[in-house]
Amino acid sequence: MTIVRYRVVADAYARLEKIAGRLEMIAALADLFRQTPLDLLPKVVYLSQGKIAPDYAGVEIGLAEKLAARSVADATGTTVEKVLATLRRTGDLGTTTEQLLTGRTRATRSALDVAEAFAELEKIAGASGKGAQSQKIAVLAGFIRRATPGEAKYLVRTATGKLRLGVGDATILDALAEVYAHGRANRIPLERAYNVCSDLGLVARAVAEGGLGAAERIEVRPGHPVRPMLAQRLATSAEILEKLGGTCAAEYKYDGERVQVHRQDDSFVLFSRRLERITDQFPDAVELLRSGLAPRTAILEAEIVAIDPEAGELRPFQDLMHRRRKHGVADATRQVPVGLFCFDLLHAGDRDLTRLPYPQRRQALADAITPSDRLRLTSSKIVGTPPELDAYFEEAITDGCEGLMCKSVGSESVYQAGARGWLWIKYKREYRTELQDTLDLVAVGAFHGRGRRRGAFGALLMAAYDETGDVFPTFCKVGAGFTDDDLATLRTRLEPRQVPDRPARVDSRIAPDVWLEPGLVLEIVGAEITLSPVHTVAWGQVREDAGLALRFPRFTGRYRDDKSPEDATTVKEIRDIYQLARHRRAGAH
Ligand code: ATP
């Protein structure tokens, strides 16, 4: 393996940290990738996001700051108290370490190389059981002793899970395309490759070794979660049918949690909507699949729904939340039984099915499943007229569903991993507000509460996701809809996300009391979308010097832990809703 000094990576971090613009960021990353030999590229790709593995692998380096402070104290020959005092001043343990090290001379400085640093970070992540804590502290201290102050800053940030350079997946793909695929215009095939394997390291290796062709040949494979295909939304049955060419498969839209099942012989792994491993939460679902799924190798998608087996009825989404736990799983499994409603088959036997049209995948799914009370295919019907679609919609609502998922049955109806296209369109019950649907927004800031809410947060600054810029522009400030319980929970949940300055990817003209690293997604309803001089969603796109904002926002009570910040409602969706509402109003007048 070629040796590359960790300094090369640390220098790149230092450059990235100063950059605000996306294009510059891509250029700086591309520079780093150019200097990286092929065998190290996947590692450098993970490191640039402060990780050592793809997200789905569930590897967390995240050493608690209190423990890391002990490493820093050991390595710099100071006391933990002094480290913590400096930390209070700087607000960041990386900077603290850098400051404490600066001015000290050591003979062995800058001896670290990337492969070594990576292996040590793996040790920190992997230490478990008795003595794990002291082992982690010792590894990090050893690290700091060998690093320059500048290197130590980033090592400490990486080890504590706080690198936060704001390098999103899309930015990495752009930089890879720039270096290995003749420019960013060729990002699309790389994006597809990423969507089917969810591993930027794997994509990087493929394109670096075998060019675009190799990236295009990446297929779905059990064990590598596929980024989920998503749906657009429309408000009327006529619009939906028109968009889908006059006929569609209408499936019940169950209100539960999406799950992607990966089977390899007797081993089952369940991934959530955001590709986290949730197998341990659902031992009953695994048993249902073990007896009812025929192919020994398979990737299948289903909605897990809380059910009442005696009454044979579906239970509300809130009930399913009891199953979201690490402890007491057996009790929860008894109290809240679940059913699986299967809706897609992406891989079976040795075949990648994602390129087949929907009707063929549905047939393969029907062949693969032996239905039982709790393991079923989604109810579905081919419909060709708006009244038929509306009647089926009513049936779905009566049966306890949220509405329908209307799916294209045309020859082009492949499984579009990671895309929100027009092959699937959701048709949901209208909400009481003017908006057709709820929005999923990301908390990027918080305001201290006053009066009764003193000591807690009084409101949150919420953002949408801008896919083009890979940033989070603000959309509203929400204080309504939170119960006292919510406010207390929010304080604890948001604490680890607090940062001293505006996070690199947050686009805001408002300064909240507390900045938050984008992470927590909440479901919000609002009355309407309006032009705004302060919020930055679609800034300058609808009107010069104005963005869009949500009027009268209110938290619905639903935490979207199954969504990552990049899964939040996008700027494009918001712009579409705004424009649609304007057309409607114009039409009505
Ligand atoms: P999205 O997943 O589109 O970002 P969301 O998570 O807020 O949005 P909805 O927009 O309400 O959910 O609808 C999409 C989700 O509906 C899917 O991700 C899946 O979990 C669920 N679902 C329920 N029934 C079906 C079905 N028959 N086919 C596909 N998805 C279904």
mmCIF file of all heavy atoms in Angstrom, residues 13 42-55 57-62 114-127 143 155 158-159 163 199 201:
data_model
loop_
_atom_site.group_PDB
_atom_site.id
_atom_site.type_symbol
_atom_site.label_atom_id
_atom_site.label_comp_id
_atom_site.label_asym_id
_atom_site.label_seq_id
_atom_site.Cartn_x
_atom_site.Cartn_y
_atom_site.Cartn_z
ATOM 1 N N TYR A 13 -8.471 19.362 4.698
ATOM 2 C CA TYR A 13 -9.531 19.752 5.644
ATOM 3 C C TYR A 13 -9.452 21.243 5.920
ATOM 4 O O TYR A 13 -10.446 21.949 5.962
ATOM 5 C CB TYR A 13 -9.359 19.047 6.989
ATOM 6 C CG TYR A 13 -9.675 17.569 7.022
ATOM 7 C CD1 TYR A 13 -9.190 16.773 8.058
ATOM 8 C CD2 TYR A 13 -10.484 16.976 6.064
ATOM 9 C CE1 TYR A 13 -9.476 15.422 8.135
ATOM 10 C CE2 TYR A 13 -10.766 15.624 6.134
ATOM 11 C CZ TYR A 13 -10.266 14.853 7.173
ATOM 12 O OH TYR A 13 -10.557 13.533 7.249
ATOM 13 N N PRO A 42 -10.846 4.876 -1.252
ATOM 14 C CA PRO A 42 -12.072 4.710 -0.442
ATOM 15 C C PRO A 42 -11.901 5.263 0.971
ATOM 16 O O PRO A 42 -12.799 5.919 1.495
ATOM 17 C CB PRO A 42 -12.274 3.192 -0.418
ATOM 18 C CG PRO A 42 -11.586 2.694 -1.645
ATOM 19 C CD PRO A 42 -10.401 3.596 -1.852
ATOM 20 N N LYS A 43 -10.732 5.025 1.555
ATOM 21 C CA LYS A 43 -10.505 5.508 2.932
ATOM 22 C C LYS A 43 -10.560 7.032 2.979
ATOM 23 O O LYS A 43 -11.174 7.624 3.867
ATOM 24 C CB LYS A 43 -9.145 5.031 3.445
ATOM 25 C CG LYS A 43 -9.085 3.523 3.639
ATOM 26 C CD LYS A 43 -7.855 3.126 4.438
ATOM 27 C CE LYS A 43 -8.014 1.745 5.019
ATOM 28 N NZ LYS A 43 -7.455 0.669 4.243
ATOM 29 N N VAL A 44 -9.900 7.667 1.999
ATOM 30 C CA VAL A 44 -9.879 9.133 1.991
ATOM 31 C C VAL A 44 -11.289 9.688 1.760
ATOM 32 O O VAL A 44 -11.676 10.712 2.325
ATOM 33 C CB VAL A 44 -8.857 9.645 0.946
ATOM 34 C CG1 VAL A 44 -9.014 11.136 0.702
ATOM 35 C CG2 VAL A 44 -7.447 9.331 1.415
ATOM 36 N N VAL A 45 -12.063 8.985 0.937
ATOM 37 C CA VAL A 45 -13.452 9.406 0.709
ATOM 38 C C VAL A 45 -14.229 9.372 2.023
ATOM 39 O O VAL A 45 -14.890 10.341 2.395
ATOM 40 C CB VAL A 45 -14.129 8.511 -0.359
ATOM 41 C CG1 VAL A 45 -15.636 8.665 -0.329
ATOM 42 C CG2 VAL A 45 -13.594 8.854 -1.747
ATOM 43 N N TYR A 46 -14.130 8.270 2.769
ATOM 44 C CA TYR A 46 -14.857 8.203 4.049
ATOM 45 C C TYR A 46 -14.358 9.289 5.002
ATOM 46 O O TYR A 46 -15.140 9.978 5.650
ATOM 47 C CB TYR A 46 -14.668 6.835 4.733
ATOM 48 C CG TYR A 46 -15.158 5.648 3.950
ATOM 49 C CD1 TYR A 46 -14.411 4.479 3.864
ATOM 50 C CD2 TYR A 46 -16.383 5.685 3.293
ATOM 51 C CE1 TYR A 46 -14.851 3.384 3.152
ATOM 52 C CE2 TYR A 46 -16.833 4.591 2.574
ATOM 53 C CZ TYR A 46 -16.058 3.441 2.497
ATOM 54 O OH TYR A 46 -16.503 2.366 1.793
ATOM 55 N N LEU A 47 -13.016 9.435 5.060
ATOM 56 C CA LEU A 47 -12.445 10.410 6.004
ATOM 57 C C LEU A 47 -12.913 11.830 5.707
ATOM 58 O O LEU A 47 -13.098 12.628 6.620
ATOM 59 C CB LEU A 47 -10.914 10.360 5.966
ATOM 60 C CG LEU A 47 -10.247 9.171 6.666
ATOM 61 C CD1 LEU A 47 -8.735 9.199 6.448
ATOM 62 C CD2 LEU A 47 -10.551 9.162 8.164
ATOM 63 N N SER A 48 -13.125 12.142 4.420
ATOM 64 C CA SER A 48 -13.510 13.520 4.104
ATOM 65 C C SER A 48 -14.897 13.838 4.651
ATOM 66 O O SER A 48 -15.287 14.992 4.754
ATOM 67 C CB SER A 48 -13.429 13.785 2.603
ATOM 68 O OG SER A 48 -14.340 12.963 1.943
ATOM 69 N N GLN A 49 -15.650 12.793 5.018
ATOM 70 C CA GLN A 49 -16.944 13.035 5.664
ATOM 71 C C GLN A 49 -16.871 12.735 7.164
ATOM 72 O O GLN A 49 -17.895 12.643 7.835
ATOM 73 C CB GLN A 49 -18.029 12.170 5.022
ATOM 74 C CG GLN A 49 -18.306 12.576 3.580
ATOM 75 C CD GLN A 49 -19.512 11.868 3.010
ATOM 76 O OE1 GLN A 49 -19.645 10.654 3.147
ATOM 77 N NE2 GLN A 49 -20.397 12.608 2.374
ATOM 78 N N GLY A 50 -15.647 12.553 7.642
ATOM 79 C CA GLY A 50 -15.478 12.284 9.075
ATOM 80 C C GLY A 50 -15.905 10.883 9.459
ATOM 81 O O GLY A 50 -16.269 10.618 10.598
ATOM 82 N N LYS A 51 -15.865 9.944 8.478
ATOM 83 C CA LYS A 51 -16.313 8.578 8.749
ATOM 84 C C LYS A 51 -15.215 7.589 8.404
ATOM 85 O O LYS A 51 -14.220 7.964 7.773
ATOM 86 C CB LYS A 51 -17.518 8.252 7.864
ATOM 87 C CG LYS A 51 -18.687 9.166 8.061
ATOM 88 C CD LYS A 51 -19.748 8.854 7.020
ATOM 89 C CE LYS A 51 -20.821 9.915 7.005
ATOM 90 N NZ LYS A 51 -21.649 9.848 5.813
ATOM 91 N N ILE A 52 -15.422 6.328 8.771
ATOM 92 C CA ILE A 52 -14.473 5.306 8.355
ATOM 93 C C ILE A 52 -15.179 4.151 7.647
ATOM 94 O O ILE A 52 -14.568 3.137 7.346
ATOM 95 C CB ILE A 52 -13.642 4.771 9.550
ATOM 96 C CG1 ILE A 52 -14.557 4.329 10.689
ATOM 97 C CG2 ILE A 52 -12.657 5.814 10.023
ATOM 98 C CD1 ILE A 52 -13.832 3.578 11.781
ATOM 99 N N ALA A 53 -16.458 4.308 7.384
ATOM 100 C CA ALA A 53 -17.221 3.271 6.686
ATOM 101 C C ALA A 53 -18.492 3.914 6.148
ATOM 102 O O ALA A 53 -18.863 5.001 6.600
ATOM 103 C CB ALA A 53 -17.574 2.149 7.660
ATOM 104 N N PRO A 54 -19.160 3.250 5.188
ATOM 105 C CA PRO A 54 -20.440 3.815 4.759
ATOM 106 C C PRO A 54 -21.426 3.830 5.926
ATOM 107 O O PRO A 54 -21.313 2.997 6.836
ATOM 108 C CB PRO A 54 -20.908 2.865 3.658
ATOM 109 C CG PRO A 54 -20.109 1.622 3.813
ATOM 110 C CD PRO A 54 -18.827 2.007 4.459
ATOM 111 N N ASP A 55 -22.378 4.741 5.889
ATOM 112 C CA ASP A 55 -23.318 4.887 7.011
ATOM 113 C C ASP A 55 -23.998 3.583 7.397
ATOM 114 O O ASP A 55 -24.176 3.281 8.566
ATOM 115 C CB ASP A 55 -24.415 5.894 6.650
ATOM 116 C CG ASP A 55 -23.901 7.309 6.815
ATOM 117 O OD1 ASP A 55 -22.883 7.485 7.515
ATOM 118 O OD2 ASP A 55 -24.506 8.226 6.228
ATOM 119 N N ALA A 57 -23.103 0.683 7.489
ATOM 120 C CA ALA A 57 -22.315 -0.294 8.236
ATOM 121 C C ALA A 57 -22.506 -0.096 9.748
ATOM 122 O O ALA A 57 -22.188 -0.981 10.537
ATOM 123 C CB ALA A 57 -20.845 -0.169 7.869
ATOM 124 N N GLY A 58 -23.043 1.074 10.122
ATOM 125 C CA GLY A 58 -23.353 1.310 11.531
ATOM 126 C C GLY A 58 -22.102 1.461 12.401
ATOM 127 O O GLY A 58 -22.140 1.209 13.594
ATOM 128 N N VAL A 59 -20.978 1.857 11.790
ATOM 129 C CA VAL A 59 -19.744 2.050 12.559
ATOM 130 C C VAL A 59 -19.713 3.478 13.089
ATOM 131 O O VAL A 59 -19.751 4.420 12.317
ATOM 132 C CB VAL A 59 -18.508 1.844 11.654
ATOM 133 C CG1 VAL A 59 -17.230 2.078 12.438
ATOM 134 C CG2 VAL A 59 -18.524 0.463 11.050
ATOM 135 N N GLU A 60 -19.671 3.615 14.409
ATOM 136 C CA GLU A 60 -19.661 4.963 14.992
ATOM 137 C C GLU A 60 -18.322 5.184 15.661
ATOM 138 O O GLU A 60 -17.950 4.420 16.539
ATOM 139 C CB GLU A 60 -20.749 5.070 16.071
ATOM 140 C CG GLU A 60 -22.143 4.839 15.556
ATOM 141 C CD GLU A 60 -22.880 6.141 15.345
ATOM 142 O OE1 GLU A 60 -22.369 7.172 15.816
ATOM 143 O OE2 GLU A 60 -23.941 6.101 14.698
ATOM 144 N N ILE A 61 -17.601 6.251 15.260
ATOM 145 C CA ILE A 61 -16.357 6.515 15.989
ATOM 146 C C ILE A 61 -16.716 7.263 17.258
ATOM 147 O O ILE A 61 -16.181 6.970 18.308
ATOM 148 C CB ILE A 61 -15.337 7.358 15.191
ATOM 149 C CG1 ILE A 61 -15.456 7.083 13.701
ATOM 150 C CG2 ILE A 61 -13.925 7.101 15.705
ATOM 151 C CD1 ILE A 61 -14.503 7.892 12.856
ATOM 152 N N GLY A 62 -17.611 8.234 17.128
ATOM 153 C CA GLY A 62 -18.128 9.109 18.178
ATOM 154 C C GLY A 62 -17.681 8.883 19.621
ATOM 155 O O GLY A 62 -18.498 8.545 20.483
ATOM 156 N N VAL A 114 -1.927 8.113 6.356
ATOM 157 C CA VAL A 114 -3.379 7.982 6.295
ATOM 158 C C VAL A 114 -3.855 6.579 6.696
ATOM 159 O O VAL A 114 -4.789 6.429 7.485
ATOM 160 C CB VAL A 114 -3.889 8.313 4.870
ATOM 161 C CG1 VAL A 114 -5.384 8.047 4.752
ATOM 162 C CG2 VAL A 114 -3.588 9.752 4.531
ATOM 163 N N ALA A 115 -3.176 5.556 6.157
ATOM 164 C CA ALA A 115 -3.611 4.185 6.437
ATOM 165 C C ALA A 115 -3.544 3.902 7.935
ATOM 166 O O ALA A 115 -4.448 3.286 8.511
ATOM 167 C CB ALA A 115 -2.758 3.203 5.657
ATOM 168 N N GLU A 116 -2.482 4.395 8.548
ATOM 169 C CA GLU A 116 -2.314 4.204 9.986
ATOM 170 C C GLU A 116 -3.410 4.928 10.771
ATOM 171 O O GLU A 116 -4.023 4.367 11.685
ATOM 172 C CB GLU A 116 -1.001 4.870 10.376
ATOM 173 C CG GLU A 116 0.039 3.979 10.950
ATOM 174 C CD GLU A 116 1.260 4.843 11.263
ATOM 175 O OE1 GLU A 116 1.500 5.864 10.579
ATOM 176 O OE2 GLU A 116 1.944 4.505 12.203
ATOM 177 N N ALA A 117 -3.617 6.187 10.399
ATOM 178 C CA ALA A 117 -4.633 6.978 11.093
ATOM 179 C C ALA A 117 -5.981 6.281 10.994
ATOM 180 O O ALA A 117 -6.737 6.175 11.964
ATOM 181 C CB ALA A 117 -4.711 8.380 10.483
ATOM 182 N N PHE A 118 -6.278 5.757 9.806
ATOM 183 C CA PHE A 118 -7.542 5.071 9.570
ATOM 184 C C PHE A 118 -7.662 3.836 10.476
ATOM 185 O O PHE A 118 -8.686 3.612 11.117
ATOM 186 C CB PHE A 118 -7.608 4.668 8.093
ATOM 187 C CG PHE A 118 -8.973 4.316 7.625
ATOM 188 C CD1 PHE A 118 -9.827 5.301 7.149
ATOM 189 C CD2 PHE A 118 -9.433 2.999 7.649
ATOM 190 C CE1 PHE A 118 -11.097 4.982 6.711
ATOM 191 C CE2 PHE A 118 -10.701 2.674 7.217
ATOM 192 C CZ PHE A 118 -11.526 3.673 6.736
ATOM 193 N N ALA A 119 -6.561 3.071 10.520
ATOM 194 C CA ALA A 119 -6.575 1.850 11.333
ATOM 195 C C ALA A 119 -6.775 2.183 12.810
ATOM 196 O O ALA A 119 -7.489 1.477 13.531
ATOM 197 C CB ALA A 119 -5.279 1.077 11.126
ATOM 198 N N GLU A 120 -6.174 3.275 13.255
ATOM 199 C CA GLU A 120 -6.325 3.659 14.657
ATOM 200 C C GLU A 120 -7.762 4.106 14.947
ATOM 201 O O GLU A 120 -8.330 3.779 15.981
ATOM 202 C CB GLU A 120 -5.363 4.789 15.019
ATOM 203 C CG GLU A 120 -3.895 4.444 14.830
ATOM 204 C CD GLU A 120 -3.369 3.508 15.918
ATOM 205 O OE1 GLU A 120 -3.443 3.888 17.088
ATOM 206 O OE2 GLU A 120 -2.911 2.396 15.584
ATOM 207 N N LEU A 121 -8.341 4.841 13.988
ATOM 208 C CA LEU A 121 -9.736 5.260 14.175
ATOM 209 C C LEU A 121 -10.633 4.026 14.226
ATOM 210 O O LEU A 121 -11.603 3.965 14.989
ATOM 211 C CB LEU A 121 -10.172 6.196 13.039
ATOM 212 C CG LEU A 121 -9.590 7.609 13.083
ATOM 213 C CD1 LEU A 121 -9.821 8.343 11.768
ATOM 214 C CD2 LEU A 121 -10.203 8.416 14.237
ATOM 215 N N GLU A 122 -10.292 3.030 13.418
ATOM 216 C CA GLU A 122 -11.067 1.777 13.463
ATOM 217 C C GLU A 122 -10.955 1.124 14.831
ATOM 218 O O GLU A 122 -11.921 0.556 15.338
ATOM 219 C CB GLU A 122 -10.568 0.809 12.384
ATOM 220 C CG GLU A 122 -11.148 1.104 11.015
ATOM 221 C CD GLU A 122 -10.646 0.159 9.938
ATOM 222 O OE1 GLU A 122 -9.471 -0.276 10.023
ATOM 223 O OE2 GLU A 122 -11.426 -0.125 9.020
ATOM 224 N N LYS A 123 -9.771 1.226 15.412
ATOM 225 C CA LYS A 123 -9.592 0.636 16.747
ATOM 226 C C LYS A 123 -10.494 1.348 17.757
ATOM 227 O O LYS A 123 -11.118 0.719 18.601
ATOM 228 C CB LYS A 123 -8.130 0.801 17.198
ATOM 229 C CG LYS A 123 -7.283 -0.402 16.897
ATOM 230 C CD LYS A 123 -5.969 -0.275 17.659
ATOM 231 C CE LYS A 123 -4.825 -0.696 16.752
ATOM 232 N NZ LYS A 123 -3.528 -0.157 17.163
ATOM 233 N N ILE A 124 -10.545 2.679 17.651
ATOM 234 C CA ILE A 124 -11.388 3.440 18.580
ATOM 235 C C ILE A 124 -12.842 3.025 18.403
ATOM 236 O O ILE A 124 -13.562 2.777 19.369
ATOM 237 C CB ILE A 124 -11.228 4.960 18.354
ATOM 238 C CG1 ILE A 124 -9.791 5.369 18.676
ATOM 239 C CG2 ILE A 124 -12.230 5.751 19.197
ATOM 240 C CD1 ILE A 124 -9.506 6.846 18.510
ATOM 241 N N ALA A 125 -13.269 2.916 17.150
ATOM 242 C CA ALA A 125 -14.668 2.549 16.882
ATOM 243 C C ALA A 125 -14.951 1.126 17.339
ATOM 244 O O ALA A 125 -16.036 0.822 17.825
ATOM 245 C CB ALA A 125 -14.968 2.696 15.396
ATOM 246 N N GLY A 126 -13.964 0.261 17.191
ATOM 247 C CA GLY A 126 -14.210 -1.175 17.402
ATOM 248 C C GLY A 126 -14.062 -1.634 18.833
ATOM 249 O O GLY A 126 -14.573 -2.697 19.192
ATOM 250 N N ALA A 127 -13.386 -0.852 19.684
ATOM 251 C CA ALA A 127 -13.155 -1.317 21.055
ATOM 252 C C ALA A 127 -14.483 -1.539 21.752
ATOM 253 O O ALA A 127 -15.373 -0.699 21.698
ATOM 254 C CB ALA A 127 -12.330 -0.286 21.824
ATOM 255 N N PHE A 143 -2.214 8.766 19.378
ATOM 256 C CA PHE A 143 -2.416 9.492 18.136
ATOM 257 C C PHE A 143 -1.949 10.933 18.237
ATOM 258 O O PHE A 143 -1.189 11.438 17.442
ATOM 259 C CB PHE A 143 -3.920 9.608 18.003
ATOM 260 C CG PHE A 143 -4.483 9.030 16.773
ATOM 261 C CD1 PHE A 143 -5.863 8.962 16.627
ATOM 262 C CD2 PHE A 143 -3.685 8.571 15.760
ATOM 263 C CE1 PHE A 143 -6.417 8.446 15.508
ATOM 264 C CE2 PHE A 143 -4.249 8.055 14.632
ATOM 265 C CZ PHE A 143 -5.614 7.989 14.515
ATOM 266 N N LEU A 155 -7.890 15.046 13.883
ATOM 267 C CA LEU A 155 -8.015 13.684 14.417
ATOM 268 C C LEU A 155 -8.996 13.660 15.578
ATOM 269 O O LEU A 155 -9.847 12.779 15.679
ATOM 270 C CB LEU A 155 -6.653 13.189 14.900
ATOM 271 C CG LEU A 155 -5.724 12.685 13.796
ATOM 272 C CD1 LEU A 155 -4.347 12.399 14.362
ATOM 273 C CD2 LEU A 155 -6.305 11.431 13.151
ATOM 274 N N THR A 158 -12.461 14.074 14.297
ATOM 275 C CA THR A 158 -12.962 12.839 13.674
ATOM 276 C C THR A 158 -13.302 11.809 14.750
ATOM 277 O O THR A 158 -14.354 11.184 14.709
ATOM 278 C CB THR A 158 -11.914 12.264 12.694
ATOM 279 O OG1 THR A 158 -11.525 13.292 11.788
ATOM 280 C CG2 THR A 158 -12.483 11.092 11.912
ATOM 281 N N ALA A 159 -12.417 11.667 15.726
ATOM 282 C CA ALA A 159 -12.643 10.657 16.757
ATOM 283 C C ALA A 159 -13.886 10.954 17.583
ATOM 284 O O ALA A 159 -14.554 10.048 18.073
ATOM 285 C CB ALA A 159 -11.422 10.565 17.668
ATOM 286 N N LEU A 163 -16.263 16.187 12.795
ATOM 287 C CA LEU A 163 -15.419 16.800 11.773
ATOM 288 C C LEU A 163 -16.181 17.930 11.080
ATOM 289 O O LEU A 163 -15.683 19.032 10.928
ATOM 290 C CB LEU A 163 -14.956 15.752 10.755
ATOM 291 C CG LEU A 163 -13.966 16.297 9.735
ATOM 292 C CD1 LEU A 163 -12.665 16.698 10.401
ATOM 293 C CD2 LEU A 163 -13.708 15.300 8.633
ATOM 294 N N ASP A 199 -22.612 3.167 -0.989
ATOM 295 C CA ASP A 199 -21.257 3.144 -0.456
ATOM 296 C C ASP A 199 -20.347 3.981 -1.364
ATOM 297 O O ASP A 199 -19.955 3.535 -2.440
ATOM 298 C CB ASP A 199 -20.781 1.677 -0.389
ATOM 299 C CG ASP A 199 -19.396 1.552 0.225
ATOM 300 O OD1 ASP A 199 -18.704 2.571 0.374
ATOM 301 O OD2 ASP A 199 -19.014 0.409 0.547
ATOM 302 N N GLY A 201 -17.304 4.777 -0.983
ATOM 303 C CA GLY A 201 -15.980 4.176 -1.123
ATOM 304 C C GLY A 201 -15.960 3.173 -2.265
ATOM 305 O O GLY A 201 -15.029 3.130 -3.071
#
